[in-house]
Amino acid sequence: MKLLRYGPVGQEKPGILDQAGKIRDLSAHIKDVNGAALDDATLAKIRALDLQSLPVVDGNPRIGACVGNIGKFICIGLNYADHAAESGLPIPAEPVVFNKWTSAVVGPNDDVKIPRGSKKTDWEVELGVVIGKAASYIEEKDALSHIAGYCVVNDVSEREYQTERGGTWDKGKGCDTFGPIGPWLVTRDEIANPNNLQLWLEVDGKRYQNGNTNTMIFNVPFIISYLSKFMSLQPGDVISTGTPPGVGMGVKPNPVYLSAGQTMRLSIEGLGEQQQQTVNA
């Protein structure tokens, strides 16, 4: 299933994409696509619905973030060896963990705001994992059963704030609009292997990133098991699993960063496409 949220900011309704690519309204069956609706039992009830009986959503509504009321937005850094190399950093022995503030979350096609005074705003296409079952100390062999589904994430990053302003990476990762998520939450039954998905990102039509999740240093089950040793994972938590090479910071000899008036397009195999315009904050 491809679940989504549509409508104005703060007024999103739950929906599902039918086989013809039409949005069908799920409001009569769930209140939102959020943690409360992502357990296996609720997803099974949605899966059993006759989609043709659900109301069609007319027009082209705004698509919101595919998960509402996200509790934790956890990110893994330097999870592709080539990206670590282009960043001038060693391959990590354990996953690098940081957070994006949930106030950064926006829809997949919403504008991305360049922070005031920013000179190094950058892009990162990433596979997002959405938790559906709460647990701590998850065994790696059981990890996939705790996933509700997958989505596209653009881990927008301000590199000066991230690496040159002291402290942790978080201040360069959680600026408003730095977390486009969606367009869909694709349930785990539709993705045979999350560790073998093509992903790419373009800026103004130029492809900078073109990778595959099979080159991750730490794969999806390992990441879930690892994180669950340090925190409980809750339904609706989003884990962004790292980016392949091709970020602006890594362009040689001169890095390339975003400015207002540009267009980012990004996609992951089977998970849909995002497109954002950059604007000044």
Side-chain angles (χ1 to χ4, degrees), residues 132-227:
K133 181 166 63 176
S136 299
Y137 302 105
I138 300 168
E139 295 289 337
E140 195 171 341
K141 64 181 176 60
D142 301 323
L144 294 183
S145 70
H146 291 265
I147 295 173
Y150 304 93
C151 62
V152 182
V153 175
N154 190 352
D155 176 19
V156 186
S157 309
E158 213 298 344
R159 302 302 187 187
E160 181 190 8
Y161 300 176
Q162 177 187 353
T163 63
E164 301 173 35
R165 299 287 292 272
T168 65
W169 285 8
D170 299 333
K171 69 180 68 172
K173 292 287 190 173
C175 302
D176 288 356
T177 74
F178 272 24
I181 297 177
W184 315 312
L185 189 165
V186 180
T187 50
R188 72 173 188 266
D189 57 296
E190 290 202 10
I191 302 300
N193 183 5
N195 300 303
N196 188 23
L197 299 174
Q198 291 292 126
L199 65 172
W200 56 264
L201 182 145
E202 297 176 351
V203 179
D204 293 340
K206 179 177 179 178
R207 185 158 297 194
Y208 284 92
Q209 293 188 276
N210 197 15
N212 191 295
T213 58
N214 64 18
T215 63
M216 284 183 180
I217 299 167
F218 307 107
N219 66 21
V220 170
F222 182 90
I223 290 168
I224 291 172
S225 177
Y226 181 86
L227 291 174

Side-chain angles (χ1 to χ4, degrees), residues 92-113:
E94 294 189 35
V96 175
V97 181
F98 62 91
N99 295 292
K100 290 179 88 78
W101 317 127
T102 54
S103 53
V105 174
V106 290
N109 305 314
D110 290 344
D111 290 343
V112 166
K113 296 178 181 178

Side-chain angles (χ1 to χ4, degrees), residues 4-70:
L4 56 96
R5 300 169 69 249
Y6 68 94
V9 176
Q11 302 176 45
E12 292 91 348
K13 295 181 179 181
I16 187 169
L17 204 69
D18 69 15
Q19 291 185 335
K22 295 179 180 178
I23 299 173
R24 300 275 179 164
D25 181 44
L26 278 176
S27 297
H29 301 277
I30 57 174
K31 292 182 178 179
D32 198 358
V33 181
N34 59 14
L38 296 180
D39 61 279
D40 285 347
T42 302
L43 292 178
K45 290 178 182 178
I46 297 171
R47 193 173 288 111
L49 294 173
D50 175 12
L51 296 191
Q52 300 305 310
S53 70
L54 299 175
V56 174
V57 177
D58 294 325
N60 294 294
R62 169 188 172 268
I63 303 300
C66 61
V67 183
N69 299 316
I70 294 169

